[in-house]
Amino acid sequence: MAVSARAIQWVEPTGFRNLEPARTALGAGITLVHGPNGAGKSSLLEALFVALTGRSPRTRRDREVIAFDSDFARVEVELLCDSDQRSFLWSATRSGERRHLLDGAPLGPSAAEARPPIAVFLPDRLTLVKGPPGARRAHIDRLVAALWPARGEARGRYQAALVQRNALLARARGAAALPSLDAWDQELATCAAELVAARAAAVAELAPAFEVAATELGLQPPAAVAYRPRCAGASAEAIAEELAERRSSDLARGFTSHGPHLDEVEVTVAGRAVRRYGSQGEQRTALLALLFAERAALLAARATAPLMLLDDVMSELDPERRELLAARLADGEGQALITATEASQLPAGAERTEIRLRGGAGIGIVERGQAA
C-alpha cells in the first residue's frame, strides 16, 4: 500500500481514559492493535480521532475521556502532509478548559486540509445507520467537503440563511410577513439548491460502491443508499416556490418547516430500511459497507484517502469476509487502524504493523510482511 499524502506518523495520549502515556507509531498501511478486552484498544482509536477533529465519536462530554486519576487529558498526533511534518494537539481539563491546536496555533479554516478524511467504525457509531436523519445528513456533508472542497461550505451557507429566516419568522409569528422575508426566502432557496445538488452528487458517487461492498460482506441484495430530499424541486426557483407555499404555516409556527435541513439519506437492505428493520448485525455490516463505499469514492475522485478507524470489525465476519475486508484495505492509498482481541483475526497474509496492548500500555510494534 502506498504512503498517503497525509499520513499519521504517531499518536501520543496522556491522561486519556485507561491509556498509559506512550507514543505509538502507525504503519503506512494497515496497523493492527490487538489485546484483551479492556486493554484500551477502542480508546486509542478514540484518542486519535479526538486529536484530529476536536471531538469524540463516543461522547459529547470532554470530561468523560479524562482518566480517573488525572486532572486533564492530552493527545498529540504528528502526521506527514505533503512532505511537511504537522502536529495536532488536543487537551481538556476537568475545569472545562480545552485547546485544539495545529502546529502550536489555534485551528483555522484550513485545518481540515492538513489531515485525511476519517471513517470510523465503532459500536457507538451505529447511530449513523439506525439513528435520526441528522447524523446521516452531517455525514454526507462532510463527504461532500472531502470529495469537492469548493463545495464544502454549502452546508454552512444554508445553515446561516436558515438561522436568519427562522429569526424573522419568530419575530413575525402570528402577524403579517416582514418585508425582508422575501429576500431571505430567495437566499435560503439559493443555498438550499446548492446543498441539494452537492448531497445528490455525493450519494450518487456512493451508491454503486455501497451495493458492491454490502453484497461482498453478506447483506441480502439489493442493498442501496439513496438520497431523499425534502424539496420536490432542485432549482432555486422551484425551492423558493415551495417555501412561498408554506409561508403562512411557517409564520404560524415560527420556524422553517421545509428544506434540506429535513432531508433523509436512506440505507436499505433487501428493500427494507436498515434503520427500522435491520438486525444489529445487518446495521453493523451496513455501516462498514458505507465506510468502504466512501473510501472507494474518495479514491476514484483522486482525493485524499480516508484514515480508516475500525474497532472490533473482524469479530462478526467469517474467514472469507475477513479476507475481503483485508484486501479492500490494501487496495489503494491510505491508512487503517484495526482493533482485535487476537492478532489472528486479521488474515495472516495481510501486510501490517502490529501493536500489542496489555492493560492500556503499548508493549511493542512488530512489522509483518506478506509471508507472515
Side-chain angles (χ1 to χ4, degrees):
M1 180 183 290
V3 177
S4 172
R6 300 172 194 172
I8 308 300
Q9 306 295 292
W10 50 259
V11 54
E12 184 175 353
T14 303
F16 194 96
R17 294 200 186 268
N18 64 330
L19 293 169
E20 293 293 329
R23 179 171 294 185
T24 302
L26 272 63
I30 298 173
T31 298
L32 174 65
V33 182
H34 63 93
N37 291 328
K41 303 184 297 296
S42 300
S43 297
L44 184 62
L45 268 64
E46 181 186 17
L48 181 55
F49 187 92
V50 168
L52 293 174
T53 68
R55 57 189 175 86
S56 169
R58 302 170 69 186
T59 178
R60 294 183 178 180
R61 301 179 60 188
D62 290 340
R63 290 173 61 92
E64 292 185 11
V65 308
I66 301 175
F68 289 122
D69 59 351
S70 179
D71 293 326
F72 71 95
R74 179 181 187 274
V75 189
E76 185 174 2
V77 170
E78 184 171 287
L79 70 160
L80 185 67
C81 179
D82 298 323
S83 301
D84 293 328
Q85 297 291 336
R86 309 298 299 271
S87 175
F88 282 82
L89 174 66
W90 175 91
S91 64
T93 68
R94 291 196 180 278
S95 62
E97 295 181 32
R98 72 190 314 271
R99 294 188 303 163
H100 196 200
L101 309 176
L102 173 60
D103 298 331
L107 268 69
S110 63
E113 299 176 6
R115 63 167 175 81
I118 306 173
V120 187
F121 180 94
L122 292 169
D124 313 68
R125 291 282 290 175
L126 283 182
T127 185
L128 185 59
V129 294
K130 72 176 185 179
R136 289 181 289 282
R137 288 193 297 267
H139 192 79
I140 291 298
D141 292 341
R142 286 192 288 271
L143 177 63
V144 166
L147 285 170
W148 309 292
R151 305 173 86 170
E153 297 301 318
R155 177 186 176 92
R157 284 191 286 268
Y158 177 77
Q159 292 288 358
L162 181 64
V163 167
Q164 290 291 340
R165 187 176 191 268
N166 281 344
L168 286 172
L169 289 170
R171 285 167 51 193
R173 187 174 184 181
L178 296 176
S180 56
L181 194 55
D182 288 336
W184 279 109
D185 276 9
Q186 188 57 53
E187 177 69 14
L188 186 67
T190 300
C191 295
E194 179 187 15
L195 185 57
V196 166
R199 287 175 175 174
V203 174
E205 292 290 327
L206 281 182
F210 175 80
E211 183 177 11
V212 171
T215 301
E216 285 184 354
L217 292 170
L219 289 177
Q220 184 178 352
V225 56
Y227 178 41
R228 308 296 187 202
R230 179 58 63 97
C231 297
S235 68
E237 293 76 13
I239 295 173
E241 290 180 6
E242 294 176 34
L243 289 172
E245 291 171 0
R246 293 164 176 80
R247 179 179 289 190
S248 60
S249 62
D250 285 354
L251 283 166
R253 295 171 177 174
F255 62 87
T256 304
S257 62
H258 187 72
H261 58 290
L262 300 171
D263 288 350
E264 171 64 287
V265 179
E266 187 178 50
V267 180
T268 59
V269 172
R272 301 187 302 273
V274 172
R275 176 189 176 189
R276 294 185 176 181
Y277 304 108
S279 66
Q280 185 87 347
E282 287 174 326
Q283 290 169 348
R284 281 174 58 93
T285 305
L287 173 58
L288 185 59
L290 183 63
L291 299 182
F292 274 106
E294 292 172 8
R295 182 176 184 271
L298 288 166
L299 291 173
R302 293 189 175 275
T304 300
L307 169 66
M308 307 288 287
L309 303 179
L310 308 177
D311 188 33
D312 192 31
V313 72
M314 297 290 186
S315 62
E316 294 188 17
L317 298 177
D318 59 36
E320 180 182 357
R321 290 186 175 86
R322 290 179 185 178
E323 292 278 0
L324 285 169
L325 184 145
R328 277 183 167 272
L329 289 175
D331 182 20
E333 297 181 347
Q335 292 172 288
L337 193 62
I338 306 175
T339 72
T341 53
E342 301 289 341
S344 60
Q345 289 181 331
L346 184 66
E351 184 177 357
R352 75 281 197 113
T353 296
E354 284 192 15
I355 299 172
R356 183 185 178 194
L357 290 187
R358 183 181 299 159
I363 300 302
I365 302 176
V366 181
E367 298 288 345
R368 298 291 294 271
Q370 290 290 351

